[in-house]
Amino acid sequence: MPNDIRICDKCKYIRIKTMLPKLAKLVPETEIKVGCKSYCGPCAKYPFIFVNGRYLKGKSEDDVIEAAKKYLK
């Protein structure tokens, strides 16, 4: 079963141009869904990502990616 990874393109703390390649390198066989997640409150405060049904946040993009590693299949 593939990973379900979703990132918000409206998040103030995520740059799609930098985060997408980092995630694609970790899980090259996974389609990463990009679009608004209607999570505007947290989105305005810190970077976040949905990984396999889990909402993960961090202080930076790299923190979020590091937190996501343990939930990737």
Side-chain angles (χ1 to χ4, degrees):
M1 187 170 167
N3 289 294
D4 180 22
I5 300 174
R6 302 170 189 216
I7 57 177
C8 182
D9 60 344
K10 307 284 187 213
C11 182
K12 295 179 182 182
Y13 292 94
I14 290 178
R15 291 191 62 221
I16 299 299
K17 290 182 180 182
T18 58
M19 190 169 207
L20 202 55
K22 290 176 188 178
L23 289 169
K25 186 177 177 182
L26 280 177
V27 282
E29 70 283 352
T30 301
E31 176 188 355
I32 300 166
K33 298 172 184 148
V34 178
C36 181
K37 303 300 169 223
S38 298
Y39 229 66
C40 299
C43 181
K45 298 177 184 173
Y46 39 74
F48 75 94
I49 182 174
F50 285 100
V51 176
N52 297 324
R54 296 181 189 270
Y55 166 81
L56 304 169
K57 64 180 183 175
K59 294 179 182 179
S60 68
E61 283 183 13
D62 292 331
D63 285 345
V64 172
I65 292 170
E66 193 62 37
K69 285 181 182 179
K70 62 183 168 183
Y71 299 105
L72 296 172
K73 299 174 187 174

